[in-house]
């Protein structure tokens, strides 16, 4: 069955289908509606926490107890929740744990325009970035699977435009997931002696996630019609929609759904197919800097601004 949904409502539906049992969030546009929609499902316990740090810790507790859990906040809220997030990167999870952060390029309802991708890089946790409501639902379910497969919290990065825009989604059934709590002090209590042993595990996990990113279906190359090799664009999130509206199928596109960690060989392969390489991304040059670190010639912020939302007209 298909339905027309806002991005935030699609995430809530994804929580239901992924078998999530526990949601603890702190309200803040553009993320608030996720929890407001999730509470409508009888299978999901939802609460508003007194702050984002408390919400993150409550969700972590539910994960350790063996229930898939979720924590939502806006971009400035992730600053408040950074303390438990960075520690959770070391401990890993039991049942899947997904964190949604909703960025607000254009500052429609926020005091700054920070780019939450920096948190994913610094915390060394995977981050997925949907470009419409259908991907919001599917990426939510995928994020829980990746969380359990790689023993890590996973961040799902939304933005105002995707959170508050509608597109068609494919509805599925709820699948229950439950794990048993196993006491493991060495894994879950991050005193220095334990943390030192966990850090190499985090680095090994990052390498495994890079390998996954190289062939993950959510990172895909779209070849231009007539094999036009003049221009290749690397992009993600809502910028992908703008690129497709402006160029259609006339240029090569590398659409990234996983933006941390970023692939290396996939990007090199894509770059080898085009004469001119451009990154289209809102706010900071995260993808652009990564591409340049691979020794590739790339354009991006020399053409497009570091501030505000992009648009079809700007891309054109």
């Amino acid at each position: 069955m298909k339905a027309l949904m806002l991005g935030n409502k699609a995430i809530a539906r994804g929580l239901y289908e992924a078998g999530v049992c526990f949601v603890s969030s702190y309200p803040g546009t553009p993320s608030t509606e996720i929890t407001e929609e999730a509470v409508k499902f009888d299978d999901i316990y939802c609460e508003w926490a007194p702050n984002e740090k408390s919400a993150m810790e409550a969700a972590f507790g539910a994960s350790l107890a063996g229930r898939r859990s979720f924590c939502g906040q806006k971009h400035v809220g992730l600053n408040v929740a950074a303390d438990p997030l960075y520690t959770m990167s070391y401990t890993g999870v039991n049942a899947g744990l997904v964190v949604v952060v909703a960025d607000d390029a254009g500052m429609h309802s926020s005091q700054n325009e920070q780019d939450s991708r920096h948190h994913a890089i610094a915390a060394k946790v995977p981050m997925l970035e949907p470009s419409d409501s259908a991907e919001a639902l599917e990426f939510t379910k995928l994020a829980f699977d990746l969380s359990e497969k790689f023993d890590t919290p996973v961040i799902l990065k939304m933005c105002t435009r995707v959170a508050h825009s509608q597109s068609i989604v494919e509805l599925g059934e709820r699948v229950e997931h439950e794990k048993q709590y196993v006491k493991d002090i060495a894994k879950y209590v991050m005193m220095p002696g334990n943390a030192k042993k966990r850090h190499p595990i985090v680095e090994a996990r990052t390498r495994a996630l890079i390998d996954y990113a190289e062939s993950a279906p959510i990172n895909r190359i779209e070849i231009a019609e007539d094999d036009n090799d003049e221009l290749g664009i690397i992009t993600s999130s809502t910028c992908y929609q703008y690129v497709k509206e402006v160029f259609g199928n006339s240029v090569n596109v590398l659409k990234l759904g996983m933006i941390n960690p970023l692939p290396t060989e996939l990007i090199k392969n894509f770059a080898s197919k085009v004469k001119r390489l451009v990154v289209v991304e809102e706010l900071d040059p995260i993808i652009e800097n990564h591409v340049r670190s691979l020794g590739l010639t790339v354009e991006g912020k020399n053409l497009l601004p570091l501030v505000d939302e992009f648009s079809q007209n700007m891309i054109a």
Side-chain angles (χ1 to χ4, degrees):
M1 186 173 119
K2 295 183 178 181
L4 183 65
M5 284 188 179
L6 292 170
N8 279 348
K9 186 173 182 178
I11 288 181
R13 177 71 192 195
L15 299 180
Y16 167 75
E17 293 183 13
V20 169
C21 295
F22 183 89
V23 170
S24 185
S25 303
Y26 187 82
T29 301
S31 70
T32 307
E33 298 90 349
I34 299 171
T35 303
E36 290 177 336
E37 291 294 331
V39 76
K40 297 176 183 179
F41 294 102
D42 293 338
D43 302 277
I44 306 176
Y45 167 82
C46 296
E47 65 179 24
W48 291 122
N51 56 59
E52 293 87 352
K53 180 178 184 292
S54 299
M56 188 81 74
E57 290 170 339
F60 182 49
S63 167
L64 295 187
R67 301 297 186 273
R68 284 189 166 186
S69 59
F70 169 84
C71 176
Q73 62 261 287
K74 66 188 295 179
H75 60 294
V76 290
L78 192 58
N79 300 339
V80 182
D83 178 20
L85 172 66
Y86 283 52
T87 302
M88 284 157 44
S89 174
Y90 274 44
T91 63
V93 300
N94 184 20
L97 171 56
V98 172
V99 176
V100 158
V101 57
D103 281 12
D104 190 20
M107 291 179 282
H108 299 280
S109 59
S110 306
Q111 66 269 42
N112 71 16
E113 232 177 357
Q114 72 188 51
D115 192 325
S116 294
R117 293 178 294 176
H118 292 288
H119 274 302
I121 294 168
K124 301 186 177 182
V125 297
M127 176 180 272
L128 309 183
E129 188 172 33
S131 64
D132 59 19
S133 298
E135 287 188 348
L137 193 159
E138 290 305 317
F139 283 20
T140 298
K141 295 193 290 184
L142 174 63
F144 281 99
D145 292 339
L146 293 178
S147 176
E148 293 176 356
K149 179 179 179 179
F150 291 98
D151 191 16
T152 179
V154 176
I155 302 176
L156 189 68
K157 178 181 175 290
M158 293 289 280
C159 66
T160 301
R161 199 57 51 190
V162 177
H164 293 163
S165 296
Q166 294 186 96
S167 63
I168 299 294
V169 304
E170 184 75 39
L171 303 182
E173 298 297 323
R174 179 176 172 88
V175 179
E176 299 293 344
H177 296 267
E178 184 175 329
K179 291 192 171 186
Q180 296 299 313
Y181 168 72
V182 178
K183 184 176 181 179
D184 191 342
I185 293 175
K187 183 176 189 292
Y188 295 122
V189 181
M190 285 302 96
M191 299 298 288
N194 293 336
K196 288 179 180 179
K197 296 175 183 177
R198 292 296 300 178
H199 190 185
I201 295 173
V202 172
E203 301 300 337
R205 181 181 71 203
T206 298
R207 292 191 293 271
L209 283 163
I210 292 173
D211 289 342
Y212 170 80
E214 300 289 3
S215 59
I218 60 174
N219 295 332
R220 66 176 185 267
I221 294 176
E222 300 176 0
I223 300 298
E225 57 191 13
D226 302 324
D227 292 326
N228 181 2
D229 64 354
E230 291 298 320
L231 177 62
I233 296 176
I234 305 176
T235 189
S236 66
S237 187
T238 190
C239 290
Y240 167 76
Q241 305 293 351
Y242 302 151
V243 166
K244 296 300 285 187
E245 287 186 41
V246 171
F247 293 101
N249 297 322
S250 66
V251 301
N252 297 279
V253 174
L254 172 53
K255 196 270 188 189
L256 296 173
M258 186 173 193
I259 53 173
N260 190 66
L262 288 164
T264 57
E265 296 306 317
L266 179 64
I267 291 173
K268 289 179 180 178
N269 178 46
F270 178 74
S272 70
K273 300 178 185 297
V274 299
K275 296 176 181 177
R276 184 186 184 195
L277 188 63
V278 177
V279 172
V280 178
E281 58 185 326
E282 287 180 339
L283 301 181
D284 295 338
I286 302 294
I287 300 172
E288 180 184 346
N289 288 344
H290 175 73
V291 173
R292 190 167 285 112
S293 74
L294 301 178
L296 301 172
T297 300
V298 62
E299 300 173 81
K301 294 305 175 182
N302 60 315
L303 305 171
L304 298 163
L306 285 160
V307 301
D308 212 345
E309 282 188 304
F310 288 2
S311 66
Q312 296 90 332
N313 289 338
M314 179 187 294
I315 302 304

